[in-house]
Amino acid sequence: MPSFLRITTAAVLTCAPGLLLAQRSATSTPASRPAPTSSSQAAFVPLTKAVHDAIDGARALRTVDYVQRYFRLPGNHGFDLAIDTVASLLRAAGYVREDSAPASARLVYRVESRPMANQAWTPLAASLTIGGRSTPVQQFSTNLNMIAINSGSTPEGGVTADVVDVGTGSDAEFAAATVTGRIVLSTGVARTVFPRAMKAGAIGVLNTQKLPAYNQQAKNTRAIQFTSVPRDSIRQGWLIFISTATHDSLRAALASATPTQPLRVKAEVRTLFETRPELTVVAEIRGRSRAAERFVYSAHVQEPGANDNASGVGALAEMARVAATLVRRGVSNPQRTVTFLWGDEIRSTDRFLKEDSVRRAGVKWGMSLDMVGENTELTGGSFLIEKMPDPSAVWVRGEDQHTEWGGKVLAEKDIRAHWFNDFVRQRCLDRARQTQWVVKANPFEGGSDHTPFLNAQIPAVLLWHFTDQYYHTDLDRIGMVSPKSLANVGACALSTGLLLADGSRSIVLAALEELTGVAERTIRAQAVLSADTLTRGGNAQTEAHILDTWRAYYIGAIDRIGEIAVGPVDLQAATERAKARVRAAK
C-alpha cells in the first residue's frame, strides 16, 4: 500500500456508497471475541466450513516466499516472474486459458499485456564498500531497497571515488562543496538532491532517509524504504539509499578522514531499463446463471515486500485454488462470476472497471487484499478491515480509530448506508470462532485497490494489517509472514465472495437477520459512548443526532440487503420487521 498513491477522501467519498460496521467500545463485545454462531447463520455454515477446511496457509506461504525474493515494478523481471507463477498456479488448479476454453468452461484465466509509456526498471545488484575494507557495509542481497527506483548503473565492476558531504543538499551546501567527480553524501530529500548532484557533476549519490515514526528507525537501523528518483536520460547517474547503520559507519569514517587521505568508497550498482509490456492476470469462475454479475478480488503485484504485497498475491492464488476445488466438487456453485485480479496497484483495478462499461455495470462488490499475511507478534500490526465510509468515519470514537498511516474525519454527506462491511466482518468472525483470530476495523483511509471500486460507486473493503514497523522497508521479508494469517484472511475473504456469488434465498434471509442483530448491538454500543460523553460535558443534541444517524444508517442498509438475491425473493415483511427492531433499539 504505497502512501504516495493515497486518494483524497473528497474524490472517493462523494460518490461512494457507505457501509456499516458495528462501532466497538470498551463496554461492548470486542471484535476479537466473536459471539457464538446463531441459528440465523446456519445458511452460511456449509460453504464457510468447506472454505475453512480447504484453505492452506502453508501453500500460500510458499507462493509468498517465491514472489518476495524479487523487486517488483510493472514490466520488470520480478513483476513478470510473479505473474508467471500465478498463471502456473491457476493452470494447476484447473483454470484454462480463456482464448482456448470452450464456451462451457467455468474456470478460465487470461494474461493481459499492454505497452508501457516508460521503460521497465529492474534492479540487479549493488554493494557499497568503505575504502580499505574488504567486506561491503551494505549490499543488495540483504538490503533489497538500497537502489533508488529509476537509478542508473555504475561502470562495470563499480566505481571508487572520494565522498563529499553536502548535508541536506541545499543550494548553499552544494555551492560550498567540491562535487565534480565525487560521490555525494546527503540527508536531504532524494528526489531533489539527486538531480542537483548530477547537474553539479557528481558521479553518484549516497542518501540517508528519514523514516516515519512507525518504522522505528532508531531500532531498525538496517531498514531502507523503497522510493524513486526522477529519470534522466541525459545524466544517468545512480543513487544508493543507505541505512542508519551504514550512515553511522560512513560518518565515523569521515570523522577520521583528512585532506590528504579523504574518505573513499567503492560503489557498484547494476540496473536494467527495458521496453517491456505491463502484464495483468485475470482469473474467473464463471457464474452459472448471472455470469455478467461479479464479485471482484484484487491483489497488487508491484512493491518489493513480503507482506506488501507478496502476501496478497499468495493469498489470492490460494483462494483461487480452493474456489476451483469447491466448484469441481459441487460444494460451491456460484451463480455470479467470481473474478481474481493480479496486477499493478490501483491502475489494474481501475482499468478493469473503466475499459468495459458493460463489465463495469455487472461488478457488484470488490475486495482488496493488501498486506494480509503479517505475523503480528513480529510486525506489531493488527488485522484490519478498512471500511467504506460509515458514521464512525464522521464520529471517530471508541476502538474504531484511524491508523498511523492516516485518515481524515469525513462529513455526514459522505455516508451511504450499506450492509457489505458488516457482512465481511461477520465472515471474519466466523473464522475467529475457530482460531481465536483478532479481527479489528478502521474507518476509510484509501490508498489501495478498494479505492477504484469506491470511485465507481461499487461497495468495497480493504483487508490489511497496520501498524507495521517494517512497512515499505527491506526488513519486510518472509520471516515476517505467518501462514496462519494467510489462511485466516483467505478463508474470510473467499467465504464472503462465494456466499454473495451464490445469492440464494436462504443466504439473503440469513444476512438480513445477522445484519439486524449487528445493528441492535451497534446502537446499544453507541448509546453507551454517548452516555459517557455526556458525563464529560458533551452536548445532548449532538449525541442524539449521532444515534439517529446510526439508526438511519442501518435502516438504509436493511433496504439494500435484497441486492444479494440472485432470483426473486419477497423481503418486504422481513425487512419491515428488521427495521422495526432497529427503530426500537436503545
Side-chain angles (χ1 to χ4, degrees), residues 43 78 99 123 166 255 293 347 371 500 580:
D99 56 4
V166 298
E293 297 182 3
R347 192 201 312 261
M371 302 169 63
L500 295 180

mmCIF file of all heavy atoms in Angstrom, residues 43 78 99 123 166 255 293 347 371 500 580:
data_model
loop_
_atom_site.group_PDB
_atom_site.id
_atom_site.type_symbol
_atom_site.label_atom_id
_atom_site.label_comp_id
_atom_site.label_asym_id
_atom_site.label_seq_id
_atom_site.Cartn_x
_atom_site.Cartn_y
_atom_site.Cartn_z
ATOM 1 N N ALA A 43 -27.387 -20.929 7.249
ATOM 2 C CA ALA A 43 -27.265 -20.970 5.791
ATOM 3 C C ALA A 43 -25.827 -20.743 5.336
ATOM 4 O O ALA A 43 -25.440 -21.170 4.238
ATOM 5 C CB ALA A 43 -28.178 -19.917 5.162
ATOM 6 N N GLY A 78 11.084 -9.110 -11.962
ATOM 7 C CA GLY A 78 10.445 -9.670 -10.779
ATOM 8 C C GLY A 78 8.934 -9.674 -10.883
ATOM 9 O O GLY A 78 8.272 -10.634 -10.485
ATOM 10 N N ASP A 99 -8.743 -17.834 -24.092
ATOM 11 C CA ASP A 99 -8.821 -17.789 -25.548
ATOM 12 C C ASP A 99 -8.921 -19.167 -26.189
ATOM 13 O O ASP A 99 -9.208 -19.275 -27.387
ATOM 14 C CB ASP A 99 -7.625 -17.022 -26.129
ATOM 15 C CG ASP A 99 -6.281 -17.598 -25.701
ATOM 16 O OD1 ASP A 99 -6.268 -18.638 -25.007
ATOM 17 O OD2 ASP A 99 -5.243 -17.007 -26.046
ATOM 18 N N PRO A 123 16.214 -3.657 -10.808
ATOM 19 C CA PRO A 123 17.490 -3.632 -10.088
ATOM 20 C C PRO A 123 18.107 -5.029 -10.091
ATOM 21 O O PRO A 123 17.406 -6.019 -9.877
ATOM 22 C CB PRO A 123 17.077 -3.203 -8.680
ATOM 23 C CG PRO A 123 15.685 -3.745 -8.521
ATOM 24 C CD PRO A 123 15.057 -3.721 -9.894
ATOM 25 N N VAL A 166 27.255 16.877 1.590
ATOM 26 C CA VAL A 166 26.545 18.119 1.262
ATOM 27 C C VAL A 166 25.355 18.334 2.192
ATOM 28 O O VAL A 166 24.449 19.115 1.888
ATOM 29 C CB VAL A 166 26.085 18.134 -0.215
ATOM 30 C CG1 VAL A 166 27.279 18.064 -1.151
ATOM 31 C CG2 VAL A 166 25.091 17.013 -0.487
ATOM 32 N N ALA A 255 34.875 11.250 9.890
ATOM 33 C CA ALA A 255 35.465 11.959 11.023
ATOM 34 C C ALA A 255 36.971 11.747 11.097
ATOM 35 O O ALA A 255 37.708 12.627 11.594
ATOM 36 C CB ALA A 255 34.804 11.506 12.321
ATOM 37 N N GLU A 293 -22.751 -10.659 -13.671
ATOM 38 C CA GLU A 293 -22.589 -10.036 -12.362
ATOM 39 C C GLU A 293 -21.349 -10.610 -11.681
ATOM 40 O O GLU A 293 -21.091 -11.811 -11.784
ATOM 41 C CB GLU A 293 -23.838 -10.270 -11.506
ATOM 42 C CG GLU A 293 -25.090 -9.621 -12.089
ATOM 43 C CD GLU A 293 -26.311 -9.830 -11.205
ATOM 44 O OE1 GLU A 293 -26.163 -10.429 -10.118
ATOM 45 O OE2 GLU A 293 -27.402 -9.404 -11.603
ATOM 46 N N ARG A 347 -4.087 0.897 -10.578
ATOM 47 C CA ARG A 347 -4.189 1.022 -12.028
ATOM 48 C C ARG A 347 -4.922 -0.167 -12.656
ATOM 49 O O ARG A 347 -5.815 0.002 -13.491
ATOM 50 C CB ARG A 347 -2.799 1.159 -12.647
ATOM 51 C CG ARG A 347 -2.822 1.576 -14.111
ATOM 52 C CD ARG A 347 -1.510 1.190 -14.795
ATOM 53 N NE ARG A 347 -0.359 1.586 -14.022
ATOM 54 C CZ ARG A 347 0.368 2.689 -14.243
ATOM 55 N NH1 ARG A 347 0.020 3.516 -15.201
ATOM 56 N NH2 ARG A 347 1.414 2.961 -13.506
ATOM 57 N N MET A 371 -1.237 -6.600 2.151
ATOM 58 C CA MET A 371 -0.588 -6.794 3.454
ATOM 59 C C MET A 371 -1.426 -7.708 4.347
ATOM 60 O O MET A 371 -1.759 -7.370 5.479
ATOM 61 C CB MET A 371 -0.344 -5.437 4.135
ATOM 62 C CG MET A 371 0.505 -4.485 3.337
ATOM 63 S SD MET A 371 0.531 -2.798 4.003
ATOM 64 C CE MET A 371 1.290 -3.090 5.600
ATOM 65 N N LEU A 500 -21.855 -14.497 -1.514
ATOM 66 C CA LEU A 500 -22.553 -13.467 -2.277
ATOM 67 C C LEU A 500 -22.718 -13.856 -3.740
ATOM 68 O O LEU A 500 -23.683 -13.434 -4.389
ATOM 69 C CB LEU A 500 -21.811 -12.135 -2.153
ATOM 70 C CG LEU A 500 -21.780 -11.537 -0.747
ATOM 71 C CD1 LEU A 500 -21.017 -10.227 -0.732
ATOM 72 C CD2 LEU A 500 -23.186 -11.346 -0.196
ATOM 73 N N ALA A 580 -38.161 -2.321 12.224
ATOM 74 C CA ALA A 580 -38.853 -2.039 13.493
ATOM 75 C C ALA A 580 -37.948 -2.352 14.681
ATOM 76 O O ALA A 580 -37.933 -1.608 15.675
ATOM 77 C CB ALA A 580 -40.142 -2.853 13.562
#
